[in-house]
C-alpha cells in the first residue's frame, strides 16, 4: 500500500490515514473518508485496502476465534484470537503460507511450503484481530508468531511487521515483551534476532531432549542438532540479557518419560530458560497426547531437577484452532 501511495506522489501520512481507517472499521477504500474521492477511486483500482480478507470465522466453545483469510493471490492462511482474563487477547499470527520444515506432528508441516507473507499481510491479521477485540470491549495485548509458517525463515517481513505492531498509533502499540517469535530451531535467524533492537520474546520448539528423538520428530534437527541450537540460544541470552522460552510438546511414549525430563533438565542447566509444556493437539499424525498422569510425573521430575515449567492449556481445539492444527482446510482427518 505504501509503495502505491508513494508512486502516486502521496505523502507518508496517507498510509497512516489508511491504517486508522482500517482500525476504525473501513472495509474498502471508499470508506477511507480522509482521502479525496478521486484518491479513493484510484486506490480502489490499484489494490484492496485489506491484504487479508476473512473467508471463514469459527468460534470455539472456549471463545477462541479462528479466521480463514484469503490473500490477494488466492492463497489461504489462518490466524487465531485467544481470550484471557481482564479483557486481554492474544493473537496467533501466520508468517508463511504453509511451512517448509515438515515437523511430523504439525498439520501446517504436512501442507508443504507455499510462500512468505509480506509485512502488510502480517500486520493486517493484527488489525483485524484488534477490531474484533475492541468490538468485544477487550484489548489486543499479545501477538505470538505461532500460526502457520516458520517466522525465522521470513525474518525480514516478520521484523518489519513487529516494528509496526510495536509502534504507537497508527501502529498497534503492543509492547515488545508481549510479542513472541517461535521457531522450530532455524539457527541463523536466532543469530540475527539477537542483534535486533526490538526486545521481542524468543521461543524455541525443542520437543525432545536427544537428537535421535528430535530428529525423528523434526527434520530440521539434522541441520541444526540440539547442541548447536542451544549454544545459539545461550549466545542470544548473553547478548540480549533476556530469557529464552523452551516449548516442549508432550507425546505419549515418545518424549514424556521421567528419563526424558532428566535429560531435558541437564540440557537446560545453567541457562536462562523457561519451559512451557504443550499438550499435543490431534492432527492426522500417529501421535497421542500424554496422559495426565505421565504429564504430572514429567513436570515433577523437571522440578526435582530444578527446572521450572508451566503447562500450557490447549485452546480452540474443537475448531482446529489450536497449536499445530492450522492447515487452511487442508486437514482431511
Ligand atoms: N514454526 C514455528 C511456529 C509455529 S508452531 C515453530 O515451530 O515454533 C507453534 C507451536 O506449536 C510450536 O511449538 C509447534 O511445535 C507447536 N505444535 C505444532 N504442532 C502441534 C500439535 N499438533 N499440537 C500442539 N502443538 C503443536
Amino acid at each position: 500500500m505504501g509503495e502505491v501511495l508513494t508512486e502516486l506522489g502521496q505523502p507518508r501520512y496517507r498510509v497512516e490515514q489508511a491504517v486508522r481507517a482500517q482500525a476504525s472499521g473501513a472495509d474498502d477504500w471508499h470508506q477511507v473518508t480522509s482521502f479525496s474521492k478521486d484518491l479513493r477511486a484510484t486506490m480502489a483500482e490499484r489494490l484492496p485496502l485489506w491484504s487479508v480478507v476473512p473467508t471463514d470465522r469459527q468460534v470455539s466453545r472456549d471463545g477462541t476465534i479462528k479466521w480463514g483469510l484469503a490473500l490477494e493471490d488466492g492463497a489461504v492462511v489462518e490466524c487465531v484470537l485467544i481470550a484471557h482474563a481482564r479483557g486481554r487477547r492474544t493473537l496467533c499470527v501466520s508468517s508463511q503460507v504453509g511451512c517448509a520444515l515438515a515437523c511430523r506432528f504439525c498439520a501446517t508441516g504436512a501442507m508443504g511450503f507455499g510462500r512468505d507473507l509480506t509485512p502488510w499481510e502480517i500486520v493486517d491479521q493484527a488489525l483485524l484481530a484488534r477490531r474484533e477485540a475492541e468490538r468485544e470491549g477487550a484489548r489486543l495485548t499479545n501477538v505470538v508468531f505461532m500460526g502457520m509458517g516458520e517466522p525465522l525463515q521470513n525474518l525480514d517481513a516478520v521484523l518489519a511487521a513487529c516494528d509496526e505492531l510495536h509502534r504507537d498509533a497508527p501502529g498497534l502499540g503492543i509492547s515488545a515483551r508481549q510479542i513472541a517469535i517461535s521457531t522450530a530451531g532455524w539457527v541463523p535467524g536466532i543469530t540475527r534476532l539477537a542483534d535486533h533492537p526490538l526486545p521481542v520474546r524468543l521461543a524455541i520448539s525443542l520437543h525432545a531432549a536427544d537428537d535421535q528423538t528430535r530428529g525423528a520428530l523434526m527434520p530440521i534437527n539434522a541441520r541444526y542438532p540440539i547442541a548447536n541450537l542451544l549454544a545459539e540460544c545461550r549466545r542470544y541470552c548473553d547478548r540480549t540479557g533476556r530469557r529464552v522460552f523452551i516449548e516442549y510438546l508432550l507425546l505419549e511414549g515418545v518424549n514424556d518419560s521421567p528419563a526424558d525430563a532428566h535429560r531435558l533438565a541437564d540440557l537446560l542447566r545453567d541457562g536462562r530458560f523457561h519451559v512451557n509444556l504443550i499438550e499435543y493437539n490431534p492432527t492426522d499424525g500417529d501421535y497421542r497426547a500424554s496422559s495426565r498422569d505421565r504429564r504430572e510425573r514429567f513436570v515433577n521430575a523437571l522440578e526435582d531437577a530444578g527446572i521450572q515449567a508451566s503447562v500450557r492449556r490447549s485452546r480452540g481445539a474443537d475448531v482446529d484452532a489450536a497449536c499445530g492444527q492450522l492447515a487452511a482446510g487442508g486437514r482431511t482427518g
Side-chain angles (χ1 to χ4, degrees), residues 214-261:
R214 192 167 192 270
L217 295 171
M218 305 176 71
I220 190 179
N221 197 68
R223 185 140 172 198
Y224 300 112
I226 293 175
N228 298 28
L229 174 57
L230 291 182
E232 197 55 38
C233 290
R234 290 199 156 84
R235 206 185 74 90
Y236 173 95
C237 292
D238 291 342
R239 265 189 98 77
T240 63
R242 297 194 293 273
R243 305 192 278 179
V244 168
F245 294 79
I246 299 291
E247 313 280 312
Y248 194 100
L249 184 59
L250 287 169
L251 299 169
E252 174 105 10
V254 175
N255 64 359
D256 66 343
S257 71
D260 289 312

Side-chain angles (χ1 to χ4, degrees), residues 105-106 145-147 149-151 182-184 205 207 247 249 278-281 283 323-324:
F105 44 78
C106 177
F145 285 82
M146 296 188 185
E150 168 49 47
S182 177
T183 177
S205 297
H207 303 331
E247 313 280 312
L249 184 59
I278 310 176
E279 277 179 76
Y280 172 65
N281 299 305
T283 65
C323 287

Side-chain angles (χ1 to χ4, degrees), residues 62-78:
D62 64 21
T64 301
I65 301 173
K66 178 173 88 165
W67 284 278
L69 302 169
L71 311 180
E72 273 181 77
D73 59 0
V76 175
V77 293
E78 295 177 337

Side-chain angles (χ1 to χ4, degrees), residues 80-217:
V80 177
L81 186 64
I82 304 157
H84 306 286
R86 281 175 277 116
R88 299 168 68 89
R89 296 285 185 276
T90 293
L91 176 70
C92 180
V93 285
S94 292
S95 57
Q96 296 179 320
V97 179
C99 183
L101 296 182
C103 297
R104 303 288 180 234
F105 44 78
C106 177
T108 308
M111 293 173 64
F113 177 67
R115 70 166 171 88
D116 286 331
L117 296 194
T118 65
W120 208 246
E121 287 165 336
I122 297 170
V123 172
D124 273 356
Q125 295 174 59
L127 284 171
L128 180 77
R130 185 171 74 172
R131 245 166 72 164
E132 175 77 28
E134 286 177 355
R135 206 172 293 153
E136 298 168 11
R139 280 167 309 127
L140 178 63
T141 50
N142 295 62
V143 175
V144 296
F145 285 82
M146 296 188 185
M148 297 166 84
E150 168 49 47
L152 295 193
Q153 288 192 326
N154 185 19
L155 193 52
D156 288 331
V158 165
L159 290 177
C162 286
D163 286 339
E164 196 63 30
L165 295 174
H166 173 254
R167 199 160 71 90
D168 285 333
L172 284 101
I174 294 172
S175 128
R177 278 168 300 117
Q178 321 273 39
I179 300 175
I181 298 181
S182 177
T183 177
W186 187 250
V187 167
I190 300 173
T191 314
R192 275 190 61 197
L193 205 53
D195 288 322
H196 189 71
L198 198 66
V200 295
R201 287 185 179 218
L202 173 64
I204 307 290
S205 297
L206 191 63
H207 303 331
D210 65 89
D211 282 318
Q212 202 186 340
T213 310
R214 192 167 192 270
L217 295 171

